[in-house]
Amino acid sequence: MTPLLALTRANIRSYTRDRAALFWTLAFPLIFIFMFGFIFQGGNQSQLKLGWVDQDASPAATQLRQAFAAQTGTELTDAPKDDALAKMRQGDVDAVIVVPVGYGEGVTAGAAGSGGPTSILVFTDPSRSNLVASVYQAVGAVLGVVNLGGRPPLVVPQAETLQTENLTFISYFVPSMLGLSVMQVGIFAAIPLVADREKLILKRLAATPLKRWQLVGSNVLMRLLIALVQTVIIVGVGVAAFHVEITGSLLLALAFVALGAMAFLALGYVIASFAKTEEAANGMTSVVQFPMMFLSGTFFPIAAMPDFLQTVARLIPLTYLADALRQVMVGGAAFAPLYVCAAVLLAWLVGCFFVASRTFRWQ
Amino acid sequence: MTTIPAGGPVIRVRGLTKRYGDVQAVDGIDFDVAKGEIFGLLGPNGAGKTTTVEILEGLRQPDGGQVSVLGVDVSHDADAIKPRIGVSLQTAALYPKLTVTELIDLFRSFYPTSRSTKEVMDALELGERHDARSQDLSGGQRQRLAVALSLVNDPELVFLDEPTTGLDPAARRSLWDIVEGLKADGRSVLLTTHYMEEAEILCDRLAIMDHGRILEMGTVEQLVSKHFQERTVRFDRLDGLAREELERLPEVTSVKEDTNEVLMYTKDPGRTIGALLDLADSRGLEPQNLGIRRATLEDVFLDLTGRALRD
């Protein structure tokens, strides 16, 4: 086995046998996700909120409205079309049904055997596929009664799509938590690094033919692997337990996870350069991680923060990692374009690498 | 890179200096280590032993002087000797959560050629603890493992920095056997220690270091006979006998006292002891644990530095 792989395997073994490290990098984010997931799940999941737009104002349209209103777990909000769509975009209603002008006449004609089926418009957000399914379940149930099994059907739904901006809290939180975990896996590397230096392990390795790039490379490989495991676990729990919809490319998300992990690992090396003891490294990682945790939009959107804190948020690398992950994974609103996120993370990686390569002490 | 002829020294140090801030850690030392010999650097903590060894291992750059290890100028080409030397640092530098087997396998992967894990483990008597994590080993076992790791590449030259510090007597003896085994295998060994007994038992030759300088160098025999033609008469410290009185006793060349004991160096122990007992008797005193011994390294060190080398 090559030195690089052998050392990577040794690192992984040391890591998996360290309960504290396992807790902080794997259990801690899950605890947060479950805690916030259950707190914010609320009642909105059971109730289907429909925006109702009646442009026809015919008795048939009123009948249809009554049929929808009679569905259990369905709540109707009447509004003009523009208002209803705006409400949906903001997340106040889950879907919008529009009964167009001529609906009444169309149904009457259809019942008399002349003309084809009449359409109603159903607006849903395809990125929330669970919701889409429940909307069409309700629509199907109602139209089944209206059509009375007639062939051809009197009324058919016409699917319309609308991109909503508002993510459910958990959809916002899961990619944010992934970003936070990746940050921790990177900067927490400082602690074993300083411990290994204190125990003279780094010095002992320097007395073998092992090269420094192999030592650093094994750390990078191990941390990337942990970040991958974190991604699988966090995304898996988000999808399985909280029905988070992953709308974008998981590969692109993984690329950001990898870039972020390396940038924060480089930051971990910078911390290890300045910390002389393991205790100091512990303290310094806390000092670095807590402001990032709370000011990077992990728990609430940056837009909701006061201006001066937004300025701080702009300087924090985690802001860009979490933002990129939300954009890619759940279609979250962009704080910065993806290429800017990638550029900022890359800049942190290069900058920290430069500082660490000049200041890191091997002995 | 120049190769030294067979039989030439495996280590050659000339005018080596190293300074840390205000401290002159190594202050112009010269010595050679011959192939197949166990060479000791003996001295108290802070004498500059570890700094010297770490320069030879290629871990530190010297400020001045020439250092050649296995014919290679270490300050310019440290990488060239690393596959050929074995290193054990002052403390056993072990990943705490890896097992004995895992650590040996890991270190084997660093070298182009290596001995088998089983061979190394058996040689160091670690077989029955092969599955134990290094953090669960006893002090002696940890130290043996550290030495085992220094031997995975079948090195020509082994550096052992304070290999028995902090070990109990049994563990220390077991490690001495291992070091003697290294010599029997034809390896050269440079070891540092601040235990006189260890240096006397293990080292073919040694250098006594203090404050970054080598005070004396040679075999134990040479060092002792150079400083002391006399025998030593010792007894527990006794109030009531003045040092000046002891110095006037027949055949006594010098007297040294510390808090516990009195040492009288004499050319004729019989006459000296007779006179000592007469003197003590006249005061109603009786010297305790009276004995005669040859001078030891301890006496040499005391003579060279004016202080004892005990912990």
Side-chain angles (χ1 to χ4, degrees):
Chain A
M1 187 174 271
T2 68
L4 178 66
L5 292 183
L7 199 56
T8 305
R9 187 176 62 177
N11 282 340
I12 291 167
R13 280 181 171 143
S14 289
Y15 167 81
T16 53
R17 290 168 192 176
D18 180 351
R19 295 210 179 106
L22 278 181
F23 174 81
W24 286 107
T25 48
L26 296 180
F28 176 76
L30 281 188
I31 290 171
F32 257 78
I33 287 174
F34 275 104
M35 212 166 70
F36 282 88
F38 286 125
I39 290 172
F40 287 93
Q41 213 167 23
N44 59 344
Q45 212 73 353
S46 54
Q47 195 82 357
L48 191 61
K49 291 185 201 153
L50 296 179
W52 188 263
V53 183
D54 184 354
Q55 295 175 327
D56 191 42
S58 61
T62 310
Q63 243 176 352
L64 188 66
R65 187 191 186 285
Q66 282 165 355
F68 269 101
Q71 292 283 310
T72 48
T74 306
E75 184 189 316
L76 296 188
T77 308
D78 294 289
K81 186 176 175 185
D82 288 349
D83 286 3
L85 292 182
K87 276 190 195 332
M88 181 178 159
R89 226 175 257 118
Q90 287 162 14
D92 292 340
V93 297
D94 300 317
V96 170
I97 292 174
V98 178
V99 184
V101 178
Y103 170 79
E105 288 172 16
V107 171
T108 312
S114 60
T118 308
S119 296
I120 57 171
L121 310 182
V122 180
F123 285 86
T124 55
D125 179 351
S127 68
R128 303 169 73 183
S129 62
N130 279 326
L131 210 50
V132 174
S134 6
V135 170
Y136 276 97
Q137 208 178 353
V139 169
V142 170
L143 294 188
V145 175
V146 173
N147 291 332
L148 287 168
R151 304 233 181 251
L154 282 176
V155 182
V156 292
Q158 181 184 328
E160 301 283 343
T161 61
L162 181 76
Q163 185 73 40
T164 60
E165 285 163 15
N166 220 32
L167 298 174
T168 60
F169 179 80
I170 197 71
S171 300
Y172 180 92
F173 190 61
V174 164
S176 306
M177 208 59 209
L178 178 58
L180 182 67
S181 309
V182 168
M183 171 196 75
Q184 284 179 328
V185 118
I187 64 173
F188 277 27
I191 296 165
L193 269 175
V194 174
D196 287 355
R197 181 168 58 211
E198 273 193 289
K199 292 192 189 92
L200 302 188
I201 292 173
L202 296 186
K203 184 187 268 188
R204 178 66 187 86
L205 294 177
T208 73
L210 184 75
K211 301 281 183 293
R212 279 181 186 171
W213 71 263
Q214 292 169 320
L215 191 54
V216 176
S218 70
N219 212 347
V220 171
L221 283 181
M222 174 192 71
R223 300 278 154 181
L224 284 179
L225 190 72
I226 299 172
L228 177 67
V229 172
Q230 285 180 323
T231 309
V232 169
I233 291 179
I234 291 173
V235 172
V237 167
V239 170
F242 297 104
H243 313 294
V244 172
E245 309 294 338
I246 305 298
T247 59
S249 155
L250 266 181
L251 268 181
L252 184 58
L254 273 176
F256 269 101
V257 164
L259 178 61
M262 286 194 287
F264 287 113
L265 178 58
L267 184 55
Y269 270 88
V270 171
I271 294 171
S273 299
F274 292 102
K276 287 200 167 51
T277 64
E278 196 176 341
E279 288 73 25
N282 258 314
M284 285 169 72
T285 49
S286 297
V287 166
V288 171
Q289 79 149 329
F290 281 111
M292 283 216 260
M293 193 187 279
F294 293 110
L295 297 178
S296 62
T298 301
F299 297 98
F300 40 82
I302 294 159
M305 301 198 299
D307 283 348
F308 77 99
L309 284 183
Q310 289 196 28
T311 311
V312 176
R314 265 172 230 287
L315 302 173
I316 294 178
L318 180 55
T319 302
Y320 298 90
L321 175 61
D323 187 47
L325 290 176
R326 284 191 297 265
Q327 289 182 53
V328 172
M329 291 167 61
V330 296
F335 170 74
L338 280 182
Y339 72 88
V340 171
C341 294
V344 170
L345 291 172
L346 194 64
W348 273 86
L349 170 58
V350 171
C352 288
F353 184 87
F354 180 75
V355 172
S357 66
R358 305 209 142 206
T359 54
F360 189 79
R361 289 169 300 111
W362 296 89
Q363 300 180 8
Chain B
M1 198 203 307
T2 53
T3 315
I4 48 167
V10 289
I11 295 176
R12 185 181 165 87
V13 175
R14 290 293 177 272
L16 177 64
T17 57
K18 179 72 182 180
R19 188 177 192 83
Y20 302 121
D22 288 342
V23 183
Q24 189 70 46
V26 179
D27 194 5
I29 61 172
D30 311 288
F31 66 92
D32 289 345
V33 176
K35 185 169 167 50
E37 100 176 317
I38 301 180
F39 186 88
L41 289 176
L42 174 70
N45 293 329
K49 307 187 300 286
T50 295
T51 301
T52 303
V53 168
E54 288 184 355
I55 289 170
L56 294 173
E57 291 162 349
L59 296 174
R60 292 180 189 280
Q61 277 295 316
D63 292 340
Q66 281 101 49
V67 182
S68 136
V69 173
L70 300 172
V72 176
D73 180 349
V74 182
S75 51
H76 290 110
D77 199 8
D79 285 347
I81 58 152
K82 285 176 182 172
R84 300 168 64 194
I85 62 170
V87 170
S88 168
L89 303 174
Q90 305 119 294
T91 57
L94 307 168
Y95 285 109
K97 294 189 187 299
L98 296 189
T99 68
V100 172
T101 310
E102 287 165 355
L103 277 165
I104 294 175
D105 282 342
L106 175 65
F107 273 70
R108 288 179 64 222
S109 78
F110 299 158
Y111 295 94
T113 58
S114 59
R115 304 160 79 191
S116 80
T117 303
K118 187 176 182 319
E119 184 190 344
V120 173
M121 215 145 47
D122 290 347
L124 278 295
E125 290 162 29
L126 288 161
E128 50 189 73
R129 304 242 48 198
H130 69 277
D131 241 356
R133 294 183 186 179
S134 77
Q135 64 188 5
D136 298 329
L137 298 177
S138 71
Q141 288 166 339
R142 288 170 57 81
Q143 202 56 48
R144 285 215 302 278
L145 178 53
V147 174
L149 296 182
S150 76
L151 298 177
V152 294
N153 55 328
D154 202 6
E156 299 159 58
L157 170 63
V158 183
F159 294 94
L160 303 173
D161 197 356
E162 306 263 358
T164 64
T165 298
L167 298 190
D168 62 56
R172 181 168 298 164
R173 258 163 235 291
S174 127
L175 209 83
W176 288 348
D177 290 343
I178 288 164
V179 176
E180 282 173 337
L182 297 181
K183 188 187 168 182
D185 291 344
R187 302 178 211 280
S188 313
V189 178
L190 174 60
L191 76 87
T192 75
T193 183
H194 60 262
Y195 296 117
M196 294 289 171
E197 192 190 3
E198 185 163 293
E200 282 191 353
I201 289 176
L202 289 180
C203 297
D204 298 315
R205 287 192 314 127
L206 54 97
I208 295 178
M209 276 190 89
D210 197 25
H211 300 303
R213 294 172 174 276
I214 290 179
L215 303 178
E216 203 71 77
M217 189 157 55
T219 64
V220 174
E221 235 11 83
Q222 286 167 344
L223 293 180
V224 172
S225 61
K226 179 172 176 187
H227 283 263
F228 302 99
Q229 272 85 45
E230 313 94 332
R231 296 298 185 89
T232 309
V233 172
R234 61 87 53 210
F235 54 92
D236 291 352
R237 194 187 163 87
L238 191 61
D239 292 329
L241 292 178
R243 184 174 172 151
E244 296 73 33
E245 291 176 300
L246 297 174
E247 283 172 345
R248 283 197 298 272
L249 291 175
E251 309 295 340
V252 171
T253 53
S254 66
V255 174
K256 292 210 160 65
E257 289 179 302
D258 65 15
T259 47
N260 301 315
E261 62 178 0
V262 178
L263 301 174
M264 301 183 0
Y265 300 99
T266 169
K267 297 189 196 77
D268 185 342
R271 280 196 67 196
T272 303
I273 287 176
L276 170 68
L277 290 174
D278 289 346
L279 176 66
D281 205 35
S282 70
R283 306 273 164 84
L285 299 169
E286 191 183 346
Q288 299 293 313
N289 295 319
L290 181 65
I292 309 169
R293 59 176 172 79
R294 255 195 42 181
T296 63
L297 272 183
E298 190 84 45
D299 301 299
V300 176
F301 191 82
L302 197 60
D303 194 51
L304 284 168
T305 67
R307 47 200 171 86
L309 186 73
R310 298 201 192 84
D311 288 337

